[in-house]
Amino acid sequence: SHSMDLPTCEIQNLGEIADLVTSVRRSRVRKEKLAEALKKEGYIPKLLQLFQVCENLKDTKALHLLFDIVRGILYLDEATLFEVMFSDECVLDVFGCLEYDPCLTQPEKHREFLFEIAKLQEAIPVKDQELQKKICKMSWARYIRNIILPNPSDFEEGFLSTLTSFIRCSKEEILSLLQKDEAFLLEIFAQLKDEATADERRCELMNFFKEFCAFSLALRTKRDEFLNMLTKLEILPTLEILLGMKNLQVRSTATDILSYLLYFKPSMVQDFAMQEALQSDKGTQLLILIIEQMICHPDPGFGGDNQFMEILCTLIDPENMLDRFSRLEIFAFLDFFYDGCIDILTAPLLAHTSGGSFKKDYSFLWYNLRHSFFLADDYQTAEMLASILELLSFCVKRHKYHMKKYVIKKDLLERVLVLLKSKHKFLALCALRFMRKIIGLKDDLYNHYITMKNLFEPVVNALLDNRTRYNMLNSALLELFEFIRVEDIQDLIAHIVENFSDTLESIKYVHTFQEMKTRYEQGKNRKNQKQN
């Protein structure tokens, strides 16, 4: 029934204030009393005035106490206190206090985020001042919730639920207002596509639009309305333009937005790619741009190439099209892909494996479209080739007819098996996996192609070169031969035994080859008996 008395806002009382604020977290009643006391007589602004004094004096102990106090006030999770702390007068000092975490040896730089938000506000063509303030407050609250304060799983259920609710409601209100403002969105799209727009400004607009898309698509109730609006604004032709620009950050952000659209409404992007392919003699420009990004990404190790590969797999998967397109249209789409796109994808692979050996001892420039590649047996190049092989393995499984024609016409498997000699074992495994996908189909034409070209020779050589080392490559090689034996693929068994039986006799630590030879001889005897 009694209200809580707070110590006066003086530097010497900061320890007492910090103890009081941090001691109430486990008691709901005491939290409510403390919140009521803090609302009175402008207590929070007075505390923040002390921050400015302590920072000027470089009083580290007092600044650490102010960190505990401000964080403790945020933990109270009171909407009226958030209004005070996120006001224009207080927010800079609130972020300043949160920089001086006593657990850190050096202060954080949270206030720089405020300046970044202010800079972004200048770039966003929002004319409504009240809406700009709402965007700022929501951005500040998100930053504190996600970056400064700890993970809620470390605390009780419902931790900071008021702050979370404040962010969610602010998002919905802001997005609703922005979506109704067509002139605002048209201006953003116009600036993004305009060649005269400076790179820095275009990057700022792209970052805003990416956040805007992420917020809008996360709201289930508004998602369909938002996607329809983006279609009306021709989002996909705009992304095509942005993917073709020279600036890496612009291309990367455009790819992220495309990934969002594919995740939440894959049919929207697939339909666009399909219509673009069916209406163009040169195939689909979107697919070509994505392939270019995949094989030209400056550092595949950061996962950019995997993102492009996932986009491509989604777009070219016939199973995703069956409910909206006829089989004839899907077949025509695949015709376009194999006539106008796949050569771009395989060009680096074919360039690296020409001449029958992996390119290690030379450096030259391979030029495709407007991009250059330095070819060498380095890790980055190996990552890129591995991604290409993963996508080609996907095509073997999903595009049986088209891929079979392409593999045999281009002699692709022979070129891929050259990569078994790579010093990067993950790349050798990708090459072997490609062959395993082909053999797994148990297709007579593929098997005839393999035996006619004697394509088991590099595989057997890789097994012998690996000797008795027990590693993933050795296991994958043995599994390939075991699969052929278990599935009783007669043409391949006969080819292996007749050509490599003597060579493989030295491998005694598994029984695969002895049993394969036995099965071959049994089959040969049965055949002779039938002939007799």
Side-chain angles (χ1 to χ4, degrees):
S1 61
H2 298 290
S3 60
M4 186 177 287
D5 294 325
L6 299 176
T8 55
C9 285
E10 296 176 1
I11 292 177
Q12 60 267 28
N13 293 335
L14 288 177
E16 187 180 350
I17 298 169
D19 290 341
L20 178 63
V21 170
T22 54
S23 67
V24 302
R25 189 168 64 84
R26 296 295 181 186
S27 169
R28 183 180 59 82
V29 175
R30 284 171 57 77
K31 284 171 67 174
E32 290 173 358
K33 287 185 178 182
L34 178 58
E36 286 297 322
L38 289 168
K39 294 174 191 176
K40 296 176 183 176
E41 300 176 4
Y43 196 86
I44 291 175
K46 291 177 184 176
L47 268 176
L48 296 174
Q49 288 174 7
L50 290 182
F51 166 73
Q52 297 175 18
V53 175
C54 295
E55 192 169 46
N56 289 332
L57 294 173
K58 297 183 179 179
D59 187 341
T60 305
K61 183 179 179 182
L63 290 169
H64 287 167
L65 291 170
L66 280 165
F67 169 88
D68 291 333
I69 293 167
V70 170
R71 186 174 65 172
I73 294 172
L74 288 169
Y75 283 168
L76 295 176
D77 201 28
E78 279 287 329
T80 51
L81 298 182
F82 291 146
E83 288 294 329
V84 175
M85 300 183 85
F86 296 149
S87 65
D88 293 340
E89 297 79 17
C90 296
V91 68
L92 189 63
D93 292 330
V94 168
F95 272 65
C97 290
L98 293 171
E99 290 180 357
Y100 291 94
D101 187 340
C103 297
L104 302 176
T105 54
Q106 292 293 327
E108 293 279 8
K109 296 181 179 179
H110 298 313
R111 279 173 286 188
E112 287 185 3
F113 173 77
L114 297 180
F115 299 124
E116 288 175 14
I117 288 292
K119 187 178 177 183
L120 184 61
Q121 289 293 102
E122 294 172 6
I124 301 169
V126 177
K127 297 178 175 62
D128 188 335
Q129 294 296 320
E130 284 301 313
L131 181 56
Q132 281 196 347
K133 286 184 178 179
K134 287 181 184 293
I135 293 172
C136 273
K137 283 190 177 181
M138 191 270 294
S139 300
W140 299 337
R142 280 183 68 235
Y143 185 83
I144 284 178
R145 180 72 181 81
N146 297 333
I147 306 300
I148 299 177
L149 299 183
N151 190 317
S153 62
D154 298 335
F155 291 87
E156 66 273 8
E157 188 178 349
F159 177 70
L160 291 179
S161 58
T162 304
L163 182 59
T164 304
S165 177
F166 169 79
I167 294 168
R168 186 180 64 252
C169 293
S170 297
K171 276 185 193 177
E172 292 177 2
E173 187 179 357
I174 291 165
L175 292 172
S176 179
L177 292 169
L178 288 176
Q179 288 176 13
K180 290 176 183 176
D181 190 351
E182 279 198 31
F184 158 75
L185 292 169
L186 284 169
E187 186 175 347
I188 284 185
F189 273 62
Q191 290 189 38
L192 287 174
K193 292 185 283 186
D194 189 354
E195 291 182 3
T197 304
D199 282 348
E200 186 178 358
R201 177 159 179 76
R202 186 179 281 107
C203 288
E204 290 170 348
L205 289 170
M206 286 293 290
N207 288 331
F208 166 75
F209 189 64
K210 177 183 170 181
E211 286 287 303
F212 180 54
C213 288
F215 291 164
S216 299
L217 293 169
L219 298 172
R220 194 172 299 174
T221 55
K222 301 279 185 180
R223 189 180 298 157
D224 289 339
E225 181 185 343
F226 177 68
L227 287 166
N228 291 334
M229 182 193 66
L230 289 182
T231 304
K232 184 179 176 183
L233 291 167
E234 298 186 330
I235 177 65
L236 291 169
T238 302
L239 289 177
E240 271 191 345
I241 294 170
L242 296 167
L243 283 167
M245 291 186 173
K246 292 181 180 179
N247 187 284
L248 174 61
Q249 188 177 347
V250 169
R251 298 200 311 265
S252 178
T253 309
T255 306
D256 289 338
I257 296 169
L258 183 62
S259 295
Y260 293 161
L261 299 178
L262 267 173
Y263 181 80
F264 288 105
K265 195 173 182 181
S267 61
M268 173 184 174
V269 188
Q270 289 162 355
D271 292 356
F272 176 80
M274 172 69 85
Q275 295 304 325
E276 195 177 44
L278 297 177
Q279 295 168 10
S280 170
D281 294 335
K282 297 179 181 178
T284 164
Q285 183 69 11
L286 180 63
L287 284 179
I288 290 172
L289 284 167
I290 295 167
I291 291 169
E292 285 183 32
Q293 297 304 312
M294 176 177 164
I295 62 181
C296 306
H297 201 273
D299 196 346
F302 282 107
D305 56 337
N306 290 331
Q307 185 183 23
F308 297 124
M309 187 173 66
E310 288 170 7
I311 292 172
L312 281 169
C313 288
T314 304
L315 289 178
I316 64 175
D317 190 348
E319 291 185 6
N320 294 333
M321 308 175 194
L322 288 171
D323 58 337
R324 298 185 310 284
F325 297 101
S326 68
R327 292 186 180 276
L328 189 62
E329 287 175 315
I330 295 171
F331 200 85
F333 173 79
L334 293 177
D335 280 345
F336 276 115
F337 179 72
Y338 280 87
D339 290 342
C341 300
I342 199 167
D343 281 341
I344 302 169
L345 178 67
T346 57
L349 179 65
L350 297 176
H352 276 268
T353 56
S354 60
S357 62
F358 193 56
K359 301 292 183 180
K360 294 181 180 180
D361 304 322
Y362 70 94
S363 62
F364 67 94
L365 211 59
W366 175 73
Y367 191 76
N368 177 273
L369 299 177
R370 59 186 176 278
H371 298 289
S372 314
F373 300 88
F374 177 78
L375 299 187
D377 191 11
D378 58 74
Y379 185 83
Q380 182 174 321
T381 305
E383 281 270 340
M384 182 259 291
L385 294 175
S387 297
I388 293 172
L389 284 172
E390 288 296 326
L391 188 58
L392 292 175
S393 297
F394 173 85
C395 292
V396 167
K397 184 178 179 182
R398 288 288 197 269
H399 309 156
K400 292 183 175 66
Y401 171 76
H402 287 82
M403 192 60 181
K404 189 195 305 180
K405 280 179 60 180
Y406 188 81
V407 168
I408 295 172
K409 179 183 175 183
K410 293 287 185 178
D411 202 6
L412 190 62
L413 181 56
E414 184 174 10
R415 304 292 284 275
V416 167
L417 292 176
V418 171
L419 298 175
L420 288 173
K421 300 176 184 178
S422 172
K423 67 181 181 182
H424 303 285
K425 295 306 178 188
F426 69 88
L427 180 57
L429 279 166
C430 287
L432 187 64
R433 192 178 301 123
F434 179 70
M435 186 178 189
R436 175 66 174 80
K437 289 284 185 184
I438 289 174
I439 290 174
L441 296 176
K442 296 188 281 187
D443 183 278
D444 290 340
L445 188 58
Y446 267 137
N447 293 343
H448 180 70
Y449 161 70
I450 291 169
T451 56
M452 287 293 292
K453 287 285 185 176
N454 195 26
L455 296 184
F456 271 100
E457 184 177 358
V459 179
V460 171
N461 288 339
L463 184 62
L464 295 175
D465 291 343
N466 199 61
R467 296 186 178 89
T468 56
R469 286 193 289 270
Y470 186 70
N471 52 31
M472 288 184 68
L473 181 60
N474 187 69
S475 298
L477 287 163
L478 293 174
E479 190 277 336
L480 175 66
F481 288 105
E482 181 67 11
F483 174 81
I484 294 167
R485 185 192 69 81
V486 171
E487 294 296 321
D488 198 20
I489 306 175
Q490 288 293 327
D491 291 345
L492 298 184
I493 290 175
H495 174 75
I496 292 166
V497 173
E498 289 171 4
N499 291 275
F500 305 105
S501 178
D502 294 340
T503 306
L504 294 171
E505 274 186 357
S506 61
I507 300 176
K508 303 290 187 182
Y509 55 91
V510 291
H511 301 294
T512 301
F513 303 109
Q514 291 89 335
E515 291 174 5
M516 190 181 286
K517 187 175 181 180
T518 302
R519 182 163 294 186
Y520 166 75
E521 290 171 349
Q522 289 172 347
K524 194 174 180 181
N525 290 335
R526 282 195 298 270
K527 188 176 179 181
N528 291 334
Q529 287 173 2
K530 285 181 181 179
Q531 288 176 346
N532 293 333

